[in-house]
Amino acid sequence: MDNEAIKKYTKCMNFAAKKHSTQRRKDSEETPYINHPIGVANIIANEGDVTDLDVLMAALLHDTVEDTDCSFDEIEEHFGADVCNIVKEVTDDKSLPKMERKRLQIEHAKTSSSKAKLVKLADKLYNLRDLQREMPIGWTKERVDEYFIWAKKVVDNLRGTNLKLETKLDEIFCAQGLK
Ligand SMILES: Nc1nc2c(ncn2[C@@H]2O[C@H](COP(=O)(O)OP(=O)(O)O)[C@@H](OP(=O)(O)OP(=O)(O)O)[C@H]2O)c(=O)[nH]1
Ligand SMILES: [Mn+2]
């Protein structure tokens, strides 16, 4: 086992956990938010069969700039430019109106790098499974249905990246009547 890689990945997990420490998911159990990034990394490694360290660290960090006080500079300083660039590709600009943010995510998906596409595929697979499990507090069925339709538009622009993850996403879309 590569000691340096294990040390870097563990440092990254700890960094992400501290950044997300006060955040909770929108489910009724108020699951600690960190479960999401760790779950996304786990999907990439153990369902997508991808163990590229930069991809797995970017998965752990993928919501830190978007949702915490973390900066891209901080990520680059601690984890390097390659990881930082993947995080940049998967970070929505929260200063934009929501609809514009969601439109841009569909558009950017097409031209993003294969490493960013992997993170995005796993992010969507995690969130869609969460939606199948439980409706987020304050959401309506319409909002859930809209998320599935929007998520499929993003995923359709990520295809050709990882057949295992795309197949599992299509099973979910099929179950939702979206095919
Ligand atoms: N399904 C589900 N989602 C939850 C839960 N708690 C937090 N979320 C997050 O909410 C976001 C989806 O809600 P939206 O209202 O569409 O997005 P917004 O928070 O960015 O406005 C996702 O963010 P994201 O990871 O940035 O993904 P995405 O919106 O870019 O797909 C998801 O991770 C939960 O319990 N269930
Ligand atoms: Mn996410």
Side-chain angles (χ1 to χ4, degrees):
M1 294 274 267
D2 179 338
N3 290 335
E4 280 319 301
I6 291 170
K7 284 180 181 176
K8 260 173 86 174
Y9 188 73
T10 308
K11 175 186 172 188
C12 189
M13 212 184 300
N14 188 51
F15 180 92
K18 283 195 281 185
K19 287 296 180 186
H20 287 297
S21 63
T22 60
Q23 291 180 319
R24 296 291 175 264
R25 295 283 287 176
K26 297 168 184 169
D27 60 351
S28 54
E29 296 95 353
E30 297 184 342
T31 304
Y33 198 93
I34 190 60
N35 285 41
H36 169 66
I38 292 175
V40 170
N42 184 52
I43 285 170
I44 292 169
N46 291 299
E47 296 186 62
D49 286 335
V50 170
T51 52
D52 177 287
L53 186 60
D54 285 351
V55 171
L56 294 176
M57 290 203 290
L60 290 175
L61 299 166
H62 82 273
D63 278 330
T64 53
V65 174
E66 193 173 298
D67 295 331
T68 80
D69 67 355
C70 186
S71 68
F72 288 123
D73 288 348
E74 225 178 325
I75 291 182
E76 180 159 357
E77 180 195 332
H78 290 285
F79 306 104
D82 291 346
V83 170
C84 186
N85 288 334
I86 301 168
V87 176
K88 277 180 183 168
E89 287 192 84
V90 299
T91 298
D92 289 351
D93 178 352
K94 283 277 185 149
S95 68
L96 295 174
K98 181 159 183 169
M99 290 317 289
E100 176 61 2
R101 199 167 6 110
K102 297 293 181 183
R103 185 190 67 78
L104 285 172
Q105 191 172 132
I106 296 169
E107 194 179 295
H108 290 161
K110 195 91 181 155
T111 54
S112 52
S113 67
S114 56
K115 292 187 176 184
K117 285 179 176 174
L118 265 171
V119 174
K120 219 59 219 163
L121 281 170
D123 188 26
K124 288 291 176 285
L125 184 51
Y126 186 101
N127 285 334
L128 296 181
R129 284 173 173 166
D130 244 1
L131 284 181
Q132 285 182 313
R133 183 173 63 85
E134 182 181 331
M135 189 184 296
I137 303 291
W139 283 35
T140 60
K141 181 170 177 336
E142 290 68 36
R143 182 165 175 185
V144 171
D145 292 346
E146 274 166 30
Y147 189 94
F148 274 98
I149 292 165
W150 167 74
K152 185 170 184 306
K153 288 177 184 165
V154 176
V155 168
D156 286 346
N157 279 347
L158 299 169
R159 290 186 188 282
T161 305
N162 186 292
L163 187 59
K164 291 185 176 105
L165 298 188
E166 290 161 41
T167 303
K168 292 192 173 179
L169 279 158
D170 282 333
E171 284 163 10
I172 293 175
F173 293 135
C174 216
Q176 259 320 99
L178 296 172
K179 261 318 271 181

